[in-house]
Amino acid sequence: MPELPEVDTVRRGLDPVLTGNTFSEVEQRRVDLRFPLPQNFAARLRGQKVVRLERRGKYLLAHLSGGDVLLMHLGMTGRFLVHPPERKVSRGLKIGTFIRETKEDEKHEHVVFHLADGASVAYSDPRRFGYMFLIPQADLNEHPLMKGLGVEPLGPEMTADYLARRAFGKKVDLKAFLLDQRIIAGLGNIYVCEALYRAGLSPTRKAATLATRAGKPTERAQALVSALRSVLSDAIKAGGSSLRDYRHADGALGEFQHAFSVYDREGKPCPRPGCGGTVKRIVQSGRSTFYCPKCQR
């Protein structure tokens, strides 16, 4: 499932296309994705201008001129494909670096947003695990999907003090702690593994060790904040990680998977200079965890 860097890369690709533009027409080609699409979805979007496009956790939020917010989640296989106005889309025609190769590919485009400047943005999702909701702006923060989301890991609220407060007395392991969207929004399996490696912390270490007995941040908390910020920033610069289905809005692949230190590197030498350890895979809460047991303590 796309994590924060992938979703932010998609936002950056869509922002110059959508922001300031108006939905002239919306093709709704089915009634549902993972959940039913909002009632009168296409009609409610028609004529609406996108005021701004944001990311919150793993969600894309398009703020509309009429006062609603279009919330979008990519699910497992969802992606947005931008077709610029100056080039007509036809099967097999290259658009940026995306090629709609066959009719089989086209049938997975479930929603197509036609824009006033002639461009279009197609939402493709073969497995249909993504979803879209229209939420009144005034109700956004209290919506079940938004309410209770933790801090943004690249935002100013993400500090060692914050981690220590949230980790104090916690008996769960560090990995489960970091994956809890109520604590930090947008993190997933890949970047938690990579951040813990950079911080030199074992994924099986108790989260409570981020805080002293007085609830103050330990050096581990400081190191973890720094590692999270650096891993996510590097991944965003690389356009995210493409392991299976993820693509940029222009169809290009992310590149950060080529810079993994531990993720999906079971049995390979630890890349930390002087370590000499071997990357190990374990399973935590049904998910694969990759780490170096020698230098991550």
Side-chain angles (χ1 to χ4, degrees):
M1 182 176 292
E3 301 179 26
L4 185 154
E6 289 77 47
V7 179
D8 204 65
T9 298
V10 172
R11 180 195 63 80
R12 293 180 182 210
L14 292 177
D15 188 49
V17 179
L18 290 179
T19 301
N21 220 331
T22 299
F23 296 125
S24 59
E25 191 60 60
V26 176
E27 291 182 59
Q28 179 184 335
R29 295 175 176 174
R30 57 178 302 115
V31 298
D32 62 354
L33 296 170
R34 181 177 179 181
F35 306 114
L37 287 164
Q39 191 171 12
N40 302 318
F41 182 62
R44 290 170 64 185
L45 288 175
R46 193 179 302 119
Q48 294 289 319
K49 181 178 180 179
V50 178
V51 177
R52 68 183 185 276
L53 184 65
E54 299 178 331
R55 178 197 55 75
R56 178 74 172 101
K58 300 176 186 178
Y59 298 100
L60 289 169
L61 303 172
H63 295 258
L64 307 177
S65 56
D68 284 338
V69 177
L70 174 59
L71 179 148
M72 299 166 280
H73 192 285
L74 296 172
M76 296 290 289
T77 60
R79 53 178 170 150
F80 288 96
L81 306 167
V82 175
H83 306 308
E86 67 272 13
R87 304 175 73 173
K88 299 292 185 181
V89 177
S90 62
R91 200 167 303 122
L93 177 64
K94 188 171 182 179
I95 304 296
T97 56
F98 165 69
I99 302 177
R100 180 192 288 151
E101 295 176 339
T102 67
K103 188 165 181 154
E104 185 72 14
D105 297 325
E106 186 177 357
K107 80 175 187 178
H108 297 305
E109 294 182 359
H110 305 305
V111 179
V112 182
F113 302 94
H114 296 279
L115 303 170
D117 68 353
S120 65
V121 176
Y123 177 71
S124 174
D125 192 349
R127 297 181 68 182
R128 300 200 311 275
F129 283 172
Y131 46 89
M132 300 182 189
F133 291 107
L134 277 171
I135 306 167
Q137 173 69 54
D139 300 336
L140 182 63
N141 291 337
E142 294 301 312
H143 190 275
L145 293 175
M146 294 285 103
K147 188 176 182 179
L149 275 183
V151 302
E152 287 289 327
L154 294 174
E157 295 177 327
M158 178 63 176
T159 64
D161 284 330
Y162 172 79
L163 281 187
R165 286 198 307 273
R166 298 304 302 264
F168 184 70
K170 294 279 188 182
K171 296 181 180 180
V172 298
D173 58 57
L174 265 182
K175 188 184 179 191
F177 173 78
L178 294 174
L179 287 175
D180 189 339
Q181 300 299 298
R182 297 167 299 179
I183 297 171
I184 306 173
L187 296 183
N189 200 34
I190 293 174
Y191 299 107
V192 166
C193 287
E194 291 296 308
L196 286 171
Y197 174 78
R198 290 196 188 186
L201 299 175
S202 170
T204 62
R205 172 180 283 279
K206 296 301 182 186
T209 60
L210 297 179
T212 66
R213 291 184 178 180
K216 300 297 183 181
T218 63
E219 290 184 2
R220 299 183 189 97
Q222 299 283 0
L224 187 53
V225 169
S226 177
L228 284 168
R229 288 185 181 277
S230 67
V231 164
L232 294 173
S233 296
D234 289 348
I236 290 171
K237 289 176 185 175
S241 304
S242 292
L243 300 182
R244 185 176 301 169
D245 301 292
Y246 166 70
R247 298 290 189 276
H248 297 191
D250 66 355
L253 297 172
E255 297 291 335
F256 192 69
Q257 67 274 13
H258 302 303
F260 287 163
S261 295
V262 288
Y263 188 82
D264 203 25
R265 298 189 73 247
E266 181 184 11
K268 295 182 180 180
C270 172
R272 201 185 308 274
C275 173
T278 301
V279 176
K280 182 179 180 180
R281 174 186 173 271
I282 60 174
V283 176
Q284 294 177 285
S285 302
R287 297 183 183 184
S288 292
T289 297
F290 299 90
Y291 75 112
C292 175
K294 185 172 181 181
C295 66
Q296 289 180 250
R297 299 299 179 90

